[in-house]
Amino acid sequence: MTGTRQRIAVLAGGVGGARFALGLREAAPEADIAIVANVGDDVWLAGVKVCPDLDSLLYALAGVGDTERGWGRAGESERVAAELAAYGVGWPWFTLGDLDLGTHLARTAMLRDGATLTEATARLAARWPLGARLLPVTDDEVPTHVVTDEGVLHFEEWWVRTRAQLRAHRFVQHGVERARITEAARAAIADADVVVVAPSNPVVSIGTILGVPGVRDALATAAAPVVGVSPIIGGQAVRGMAAACLETIGVAPDAAAVGLHHGARSAGGVLDAWLVAEEDAAAVPALEAAGIRAAAAPLWLTPGGPAAQVARDALALADAVR
């Protein structure tokens, strides 16, 4: 697709989505990029609204994220977190940095004043030239909980405190049946020249986005091709704990299996095309037999050129199915 204002909608979660978004911004600097983000990880903690995926995207695109830890702000301090722990408030294993708390406090103040999450996100994002629009998939709360042998835990507790080592029986997005896709997210998908499913966790990030009523309908009726980028490389989930999520829903950590789980749009699924890693080139025939155009290319999302090339390859694959 050529043109100075190509419109690209991206469905994304946190770290993987942020790395892909950085590559996409480099690959298509003149494009109008709208990122429809997962909000299932969101949590109210110590009285503030924390949005891990939105914040990972915000900080990465703003150039202020901690690239070594992979989350939070660079140059962070933790004096407030120490005080909260001394008072026995919050989760001691879920540290909110002082700069990060500034974001959460600002967001919470906006929400308390009557702003929607979409409006609050836009106000936060206006601080930096991001080169993309951040759009929560829904303004409704759809917190992901995990049913485990220890009981029901918020997803962040299962993910961070237990490191996904506690067996999960199923994931539940509370209130998702009453939620609705925002008009901004719906319009971003409807108006796009291409829709990309980022290499984010296919269960709790992409799966939660797709579970919000209205999202699948928007994808089904979109004029643009929908291309996904596999989060699996060489039979391994790039972010290891994602394999535990896939195991919970009975899907192998395999590039073909995840693509087939999303399904072909021509058969009621969401994908027209699926970009797999060069290590997984053998998955291409099975995907194409199921009606999903597939290609293999290097997928490691390292900063700079490699991540941008992944984005270029995804856009080229989308062009091939028009």
Side-chain angles (χ1 to χ4, degrees):
M1 181 74 185
T2 59
T4 58
R5 290 299 290 172
Q6 182 182 23
R7 294 164 298 185
I8 305 172
V10 183
L11 309 188
V15 177
R19 290 176 180 171
F20 179 79
L22 287 171
L24 180 61
R25 185 178 65 180
E26 181 180 348
E30 300 301 322
D32 177 359
I33 301 171
I35 303 174
V36 178
N38 170 49
V39 296
D41 297 6
D42 293 6
V43 61
W44 285 92
L45 188 64
V48 296
K49 173 83 164 181
V50 181
C51 300
D53 283 4
L54 281 168
D55 291 340
S56 290
L57 289 159
L58 174 67
Y59 297 155
L61 290 166
V64 299
D66 188 326
T67 56
E68 291 189 10
R69 291 190 303 179
W71 55 272
R73 291 282 297 271
E76 190 60 276
S77 55
E78 299 175 354
R79 294 184 67 187
V80 176
E83 286 296 292
L84 290 172
Y87 289 122
V89 173
W91 290 333
W93 39 264
F94 193 88
T95 303
L96 300 177
D98 296 340
L99 295 173
D100 197 27
L101 267 167
T103 300
H104 308 323
L105 286 165
R107 175 189 294 118
T108 302
M110 295 171 193
L111 295 174
R112 296 295 192 199
D113 286 343
T116 64
L117 183 59
T118 295
E119 292 166 343
T121 301
R123 288 176 62 185
L124 294 172
R127 178 178 175 184
W128 296 284
L130 302 185
R133 290 178 289 132
L134 295 184
L135 304 173
V137 64
T138 181
D139 288 327
D140 300 308
E141 297 203 3
V142 290
T144 300
H145 288 74
V146 188
V147 179
T148 75
D149 291 332
E150 285 188 5
V152 179
L153 307 178
H154 189 282
F155 172 76
E156 288 295 336
E157 182 173 8
W158 179 73
W159 191 256
V160 179
R161 180 178 69 80
T162 79
R163 303 297 295 172
Q165 295 302 301
L166 188 63
R167 183 186 176 192
H169 297 287
R170 66 181 185 277
F171 301 102
V172 179
Q173 284 77 33
H174 283 285
V176 72
E177 68 283 353
R178 298 186 298 275
R180 292 293 179 269
I181 185 175
T182 68
E183 286 306 312
R186 187 192 301 277
I189 294 170
D191 295 341
D193 297 308
V194 59
V195 179
V196 183
V197 178
S200 301
N201 189 305
V203 181
V204 294
S205 293
I206 302 304
T208 300
I209 292 171
L210 295 175
V212 173
V215 173
R216 286 183 177 271
D217 288 344
L219 291 171
T221 58
V226 180
V227 57
V229 179
S230 174
I232 306 297
I233 296 180
Q236 299 290 326
V238 175
R239 289 183 62 77
M241 294 186 292
C245 298
L246 287 165
E247 179 184 355
T248 298
I249 66 168
V251 175
D254 171 86
V258 175
L260 295 172
H261 168 68
H262 289 319
R265 195 155 65 133
S266 60
V270 299
L271 296 175
D272 294 309
W274 188 236
L275 185 66
V276 302
E278 56 188 348
E279 295 91 333
D280 298 311
V284 169
L287 290 159
E288 297 214 324
I292 301 171
R293 182 73 173 266
L299 288 191
W300 290 106
L301 292 171
T302 49
Q309 188 57 50
V310 172
R312 292 187 192 99
D313 289 337
L315 296 177
L317 183 56
D319 280 343
V321 299
R322 290 184 189 279

